[in-house]
Amino acid sequence: MSKKKNSKFITKDILRSSVINSFIKLNPKYMIKNPVMFVVEVGFFITVLLSIFPNIFGESVEDLRLYNIVVSVILFITVLFANFAEAVAEGRGKAQAETLKKTQKDTKARIVYDDGTEEIINASELKKGDIVLVKSGEIIPNDGEVIDGIASVDESAITGESAPVVKESGGDFASVTGGTTVASDWLKIIITSSPGESFLDKMINMVEGASRQKTPNEIALNTLLVSLTIIFLIVIVTLYPIAAYCNVDIPISTLIALTVCLIPTTIGGLLSAIGIAGMDRVTRFNVIAMSGKAVEACGDVDTMILDKTGTITYGNRLASKFIPVYGVSEGELIKYSVASSLKDDTPEGKSIVELGTTLDNKLDINKFYDATFIEFTAQTRMSGIDLEDGTKIRKGAADSIIKYVKEQNGSIPDDLENSVNDVSKLGGTPLVVSVDNKILGVIYLKDTVKPGLVERFARLREIGIKTIMCTGDNPLTAATIAQEAGVDGFIAECKPEDKIEAIKKEQAEGKIVAMTGDGTNDAPALAQANVGLAMNSGTSAAKEAANMVDLDSDPTKILEVVEIGKQLLITRGSLTTFSIANDVAKYFAIIPAIFMIVIPEMQILNIMKLATPESAILSALIFNAIIIPALIPLAMKGVKYKPMSSGKMLAKNMLIYGLGGVITPFIGIKIIDLIINPLLKIIGI
C-alpha cells in the first residue's frame, strides 16, 4: 500500500520459487498443519492407489481405472494450487526480506571504551550497552540511542525516504536504527539491542513468515473449517450405505470427489495466504508489526487515542495576529513582541519576528540586538530580553506574565482576560507581552489542524471507531481544536497517567484501543493499549512497549494501519463467505449426478443440465481446483475497503461474495462441462 515499495503482484523470481515450494509443501508433515487440504491430499493418495490397484477396496469395475486417474490428477492440482497460494504470499515477503538484508552487510563498528580508546570490530560482536562512534558515510551497526553529537541520518535503506533526518542526544528523537547511514557529522551511540534482535531483524523475520503465529481469529476460523470438514466426512461415510440400500453403486473415487467438493477447500487453501498477505501489506506500508495478532487487532479497534501535537495538528505554533489591550497601539505591541523574540530560535519566536517585520516594515529593532536574552524555562514559562537601561521585556503564558507583573506592582488590563479567552477558543495559544510592569497585549499563536483529518475521522466514525484527542492545552483550546478536527472527544491538560486511565476505561467497557506515541512517558500507555504504534524516531522505551513501530515516524499513520487491519478481516470474511456459498452449486452438480441413474426423479435437481454423471463430478472437481489460483490476487491485495457501518458491510459482502459465490460456480461448472464432455467421450469415460 505504500508508494515507496514495489507493489508488483508477482515477479519471475517469486513465481519460480513459489512453484518449487508448492511441491516441497506436499510433504504430509507440513500439510497436516492445514487439515482441510490434508484431507484432499489423503484423497489423492487413495485415488492413486485405486488407479494402480482398482480392486484394492473390493471394487471390481476395471474401466474405472482411467476415471480414477483423472480424479487423482485433479486432486493433485487442487493441493498444488493451495500450496502455490501460500508460497506466493511467502515469496513476496521473502523478496522484501532480501531487500532488507542488503542493509545488513558485514558492518564494522568503532567501539569506544571507558578509557577513551577506540577499536574497530565486527558489528556482530557488539553487545547491548556498548558505545560506538559513527562518522559521516558510515553505517550505524545496530539499534541504539544517541548520547553525544548531532548528525543527519539517511534512513532510505529502511524507510524509502531520501531526505536525511536529524538525530541528536536528549529528548524523544535520539533513537537510531541499525542499517541506516550517517550522512553528515558524527554520532556517539549506546547500543540498545543485541545482534539478531534489532528492529530490522524483527522486520525481516516477520516478512519472511518465520515469526508469524496464527492469530486468534484465524485459529477460530480454522477450527470452524475443521469442524465442517469432519461433519462432511461423517455425511460421506453414512452416504455409502444409504446408496447401497438404494442399489446405487458409488465408486470410492466419486465419494472422495464429493468430499473434496463439499468441504471448504477454497478458503482452506487461501486462509494462510490471506494472513501472510496482511502482514505483507503492513510491512510494505513501512510499519513493523511485532505479531500477526497486532495487525488483526487493528481490524477490531473501537477507540483511537491520538496526541494533538504532530498528529492532529502540525505542532509548529506560528504567530498569526497581534492583539493589543486597551490604550496600547498595535505598533507598540509589535515592536516589543519582535524585540523579545530576536534571540528566540524556536519556531514560535522566529514566526513572531517574521510576522512583526512584515506588518511593520519600518520597524527599528537594531537597538535591541545588544540586549541580554532571557531563555524560556519550564519554571518561569516565559522568555524575553533585558535592555541596558534596565527595561525588562517579557512574553509567555498568560498566568505567568500576570504573576510577574503583579510582583512588580503593575495593574492587569480589564480586557486582557477576554483577549486570552478569545485566542484559546479559536484553538490558538495566547502569549502575553509585557514591558516592566505594563501588559501590552496578546500574541495569537495558531496551531493548524492537518488538512484532510476531518474527512478521515468521519470515515472512522462510519465504521464505529471513536477518536479521543489528548492534549496538554487548556479545556477551551482543546475543545476548539477537537471541534475543528472532528474528533469525538478530548482530554485537556492531559498527563501520561491520564492516557493510561483513558485506555483502561475504554478497555473496561470491552473495547479494543489503539494509540500512538514516541516518548518515554508514552511507553506505559503504549504497553496498555491493544494496538500501540511507536514512532521510529522515538525512544527505545516507546518502541519496546509498542507492538508496532512506524519507520516513517508519521503519527497519523495509525489511521491507515487500522484500515489495513479492517481490510484483512474483511478479506478473510469475504472469501470465507464466497467459499461456503460455492458449495451450494456443487451440491446441485454432484448429488443429482450420483443418484439420477437409479432414481430418475433426481433429474429435476440437475438444473445445470450437466451431460453425464462423470462429467458433472469432474466439472465440479475441476472448478473446485481452479477457483483457488483465481482468487490468489484478491487474497494478496485484499478486498477493496470502504468505510461503512458493520450492518452495511455485512449486507454488501453477502450480496457480492455470498450471491456471487453461488452464481459463479453454476456458470463455471456448466462451461467446464461443455468443454470436457466431448473429451470424456473420446477417452471412454
Side-chain angles (χ1 to χ4, degrees):
M1 296 186 68
S2 173
K3 293 179 182 178
K4 305 166 196 168
K5 304 287 172 124
N6 181 9
S7 58
K8 189 175 180 181
F9 170 60
I10 189 168
T11 63
K12 289 182 180 179
D13 291 337
I14 293 175
L15 179 62
R16 189 184 305 111
S17 64
S18 298
V19 171
I20 295 171
N21 285 329
S22 298
F23 285 91
I24 295 174
K25 291 176 182 290
L26 290 171
N27 186 334
K29 289 183 179 179
Y30 182 86
M31 289 298 300
I32 202 168
K33 296 177 182 178
N34 187 341
V36 177
M37 299 314 300
F38 180 69
V39 169
V40 180
E41 187 174 46
V42 170
F44 160 70
F45 286 129
I46 294 174
T47 53
V48 168
L49 283 175
L50 289 170
S51 302
I52 301 171
F53 309 105
N55 301 321
I56 191 171
F57 295 117
E59 292 187 310
S60 57
V61 186
E62 182 67 26
D63 58 6
L64 282 176
R65 184 189 298 269
L66 191 55
Y67 174 72
N68 292 339
I69 291 173
V70 174
V71 172
S72 299
V73 171
I74 298 173
L75 293 180
F76 178 74
I77 292 173
T78 303
V79 177
L80 212 58
F81 280 162
N83 288 348
F84 180 74
E86 185 174 5
V88 167
E90 291 177 347
R92 281 163 61 89
K94 288 177 180 177
Q96 189 178 358
E98 288 303 316
T99 302
L100 293 170
K101 283 179 179 177
K102 291 178 182 178
T103 66
Q104 287 192 315
K105 302 171 184 176
D106 188 15
T107 310
K108 298 293 183 180
R110 184 182 291 102
I111 189 169
V112 180
Y113 296 108
D114 294 339
D115 58 4
T117 59
E118 300 177 4
E119 181 185 0
I120 304 295
I121 64 172
N122 290 324
S124 57
E125 299 176 27
L126 287 173
K127 301 183 296 294
K128 192 173 182 178
D130 284 344
I131 294 175
V132 297
L133 177 65
V134 187
K135 298 181 179 180
S136 178
E138 296 178 348
I139 296 174
I140 296 173
N142 208 338
D143 294 351
E145 287 198 357
V146 178
I147 58 174
D148 193 13
I150 179 171
S152 297
V153 176
D154 180 0
E155 297 184 331
S156 59
I158 295 177
T159 66
E161 291 287 358
S162 57
V165 292
V166 176
K167 299 287 184 178
E168 59 183 317
S169 61
D172 293 339
F173 300 94
S175 178
V176 291
T177 305
T180 56
T181 305
V182 174
S184 67
D185 302 296
W186 57 271
L187 294 173
K188 189 175 285 187
I189 300 164
I190 183 168
I191 301 300
T192 56
S193 64
S194 302
E197 297 177 2
S198 69
F199 280 100
L200 188 57
D201 290 310
K202 291 175 183 177
M203 189 174 184
I204 290 170
N205 287 335
M206 290 308 300
V207 297
E208 283 186 322
S211 300
R212 198 186 89 87
Q213 301 294 323
K214 287 186 176 181
T215 63
N217 284 352
E218 195 174 345
I219 293 171
L221 181 55
N222 200 54
T223 303
L224 173 63
L225 299 183
V226 171
S227 301
L228 289 174
T229 301
I230 293 171
I231 290 171
F232 284 123
L233 284 173
I234 295 172
V235 170
I236 299 303
V237 170
T238 56
L239 181 63
Y240 190 79
I242 293 173
Y245 179 78
C246 296
N247 296 317
V248 178
D249 185 18
I250 304 179
I252 291 176
S253 53
T254 297
L255 287 175
I256 291 172
L258 178 60
T259 303
V260 170
C261 285
L262 293 186
I263 64 177
T265 50
T266 305
I267 188 62
L270 295 172
L271 185 60
S272 182
I274 293 169
I276 295 172
M279 294 291 299
D280 180 57
R281 282 195 294 276
V282 170
T283 307
R284 287 171 185 272
F285 203 55
N286 273 352
V287 173
I288 301 175
M290 301 307 174
S291 68
K293 185 177 180 180
V295 179
E296 192 172 86
C298 288
D300 291 325
V301 166
D302 301 298
T303 303
M304 200 178 292
I305 309 287
L306 301 163
D307 278 326
K308 184 202 80 170
T309 305
T311 303
I312 293 175
T313 64
Y314 283 110
N316 50 344
R317 301 173 300 170
L318 304 179
S320 176
K321 188 177 181 181
F322 297 98
I323 308 171
V325 296
Y326 181 76
V328 176
S329 68
E330 185 179 40
E332 186 180 5
L333 173 60
I334 291 174
K335 173 184 174 182
Y336 287 107
S337 297
V338 171
S340 67
S341 305
L342 286 174
K343 296 183 179 181
D344 185 350
D345 290 330
T346 64
E348 293 90 345
K350 291 177 180 178
S351 71
I352 292 170
V353 174
E354 183 179 352
L355 180 63
T357 52
T358 300
L359 293 176
D360 186 356
N361 55 16
K362 297 180 180 179
L363 187 64
D364 182 15
I365 54 177
N366 292 324
K367 65 178 181 178
F368 298 118
Y369 277 111
D370 294 329
T372 303
F373 178 60
I374 308 299
E375 291 189 8
F376 175 90
T377 66
Q379 290 73 32
T380 63
R381 297 177 65 206
M382 58 184 176
S383 63
I385 58 173
D386 289 344
L387 302 182
E388 292 180 349
D389 62 4
T391 303
K392 299 179 184 297
I393 306 171
R394 297 288 185 269
K395 72 174 190 296
D399 55 349
S400 298
I401 296 293
I402 290 171
K403 180 182 177 183
Y404 173 78
V405 169
K406 284 182 176 179
E407 288 175 351
Q408 299 184 71
N409 299 316
S411 60
I412 309 302
D414 295 335
D415 57 341
L416 177 65
E417 184 177 357
N418 288 336
S419 297
V420 170
N421 288 340
D422 287 344
V423 170
S424 296
K425 287 176 182 177
L426 291 172
T429 301
L431 282 185
V432 177
V433 179
S434 70
V435 177
D436 293 328
N437 65 351
K438 180 183 178 182
I439 290 179
L440 303 183
V442 178
I443 305 172
Y444 172 18
L445 296 181
K446 188 175 182 181
D447 193 358
T448 309
V449 172
K450 292 182 177 179
L453 281 187
V454 174
E455 293 77 13
R456 292 166 80 179
F457 288 142
R459 280 195 349 234
L460 292 173
R461 197 174 297 110
E462 285 178 17
I463 55 178
I465 296 178
K466 180 171 71 173
T467 50
I468 299 175
M469 179 187 78
C470 292
T471 175
D473 291 335
N474 62 64
L476 281 175
T477 302
T480 304
I481 291 289
Q483 183 178 10
E484 185 179 345
V487 295
D488 299 310
F490 65 89
I491 303 173
E493 299 175 342
C494 181
K495 300 181 288 295
E497 52 268 29
D498 295 330
K499 292 181 183 178
I500 300 175
E501 190 62 35
I503 293 170
K504 288 182 177 179
K505 180 181 177 182
E506 294 293 321
Q507 290 173 333
E509 297 175 7
K511 295 178 180 178
I512 305 297
V513 183
M515 78 157 286
T516 62
D518 57 13
T520 300
N521 59 357
D522 290 326
L526 288 168
Q528 180 67 39
N530 302 90
V531 177
L533 178 65
M535 302 298 102
N536 189 44
S537 60
T539 62
S540 296
K543 291 192 283 187
E544 289 295 333
N547 50 22
M548 286 185 166
V549 177
D550 174 24
L551 296 175
D552 294 329
S553 300
D554 177 6
T556 62
K557 194 178 285 187
I558 186 71
L559 305 175
E560 281 88 357
V561 170
V562 165
E563 291 191 348
I564 291 174
K566 289 283 184 187
Q567 186 185 39
L568 170 63
L569 296 183
I570 291 168
T571 301
R572 188 183 295 153
S574 299
L575 291 182
T576 301
T577 303
F578 184 88
S579 176
I580 295 174
N582 260 243
D583 294 336
V584 175
K586 297 170 194 170
Y587 301 155
F588 284 97
I590 295 184
I591 299 297
I594 294 175
F595 289 97
M596 64 186 180
I597 295 177
V598 178
I599 309 174
E601 290 79 6
M602 293 288 287
Q603 182 68 35
I604 196 173
L605 294 178
N606 185 20
I607 58 179
M608 286 183 273
K609 304 302 179 184
L610 302 177
T612 65
E614 291 78 14
S615 174
I617 291 166
L618 294 177
S619 296
L621 207 56
I622 291 171
F623 177 85
N624 191 67
I626 63 176
I627 195 64
I628 295 175
L631 291 174
I632 290 177
L634 186 61
M636 296 292 103
K637 295 180 181 178
V639 172
K640 191 173 181 181
Y641 170 73
K642 284 186 178 180
M644 62 182 70
S645 66
S646 300
K648 288 182 180 179
M649 197 177 298
L650 178 61
K652 179 185 175 183
N653 285 344
M654 290 301 293
L655 179 65
I656 297 176
Y657 296 98
L659 186 60
V662 173
I663 294 173
T664 303
F666 275 91
I667 298 171
I669 291 172
K670 180 60 180 178
I671 293 173
I672 295 170
D673 177 71
L674 293 172
I675 295 172
I676 70 167
N677 184 50
L679 298 175
L680 295 179
K681 288 180 179 178
I682 293 173
I683 62 177
I685 294 180

